[in-house]
Amino acid sequence: MLSTLVRGALVVTLALGSTLVVVTGPAEAGATRYKNCTALNKKYKHGVGRKGAKDKVRGSTKPVTNFTVSDSVYAKNTHLDRDKDKVACEKR
């Protein structure tokens, strides 16, 4: 009896697990690796950064705050983050 219940639970678990649907936002749907900042800025006008990232600035300039937040797009383009502040290709 117990093994029948265990088998039934296993079948239900496998059936539910195989129908898992992942919903992504528009930025995550097609995370692309860009060759340079000019190419990235065509799609993401003010750059792209990780959640919680803050633009690092020097002097009296204000940080860029209107960059697109997307962990997956940033992960594909870390090579474009020269100052390592978790925001790639930040631009006003």
Side-chain angles (χ1 to χ4, degrees):
M1 176 79 172
L2 183 60
S3 66
T4 304
L5 290 174
V6 171
R7 264 190 256 146
L10 181 61
V11 169
V12 169
T13 302
L14 290 174
L16 291 176
S18 66
T19 59
L20 179 66
V21 176
V22 178
V23 178
T24 61
E28 288 80 16
T32 303
R33 185 177 194 276
Y34 293 92
K35 183 177 180 180
N36 54 41
C37 284
T38 302
L40 186 136
N41 287 138
K42 285 181 182 177
K43 182 163 185 176
Y44 304 102
K45 186 176 180 182
H46 301 286
V48 64
R50 295 184 69 179
K51 184 177 179 182
K54 290 184 171 65
D55 181 26
K56 187 190 313 180
V57 294
R58 286 188 249 166
S60 62
T61 59
K62 293 183 180 180
V64 175
T65 58
N66 55 350
F67 56 85
T68 302
V69 176
S70 172
D71 289 340
S72 62
V73 175
Y74 176 81
K76 291 259 185 162
N77 295 285
T78 56
H79 64 286
L80 299 175
D81 184 8
R82 293 184 181 166
D83 58 0
K84 307 297 181 210
D85 61 356
K86 307 296 185 222
V87 182
C89 303
E90 56 266 43
K91 184 171 110 176
R92 296 203 179 282

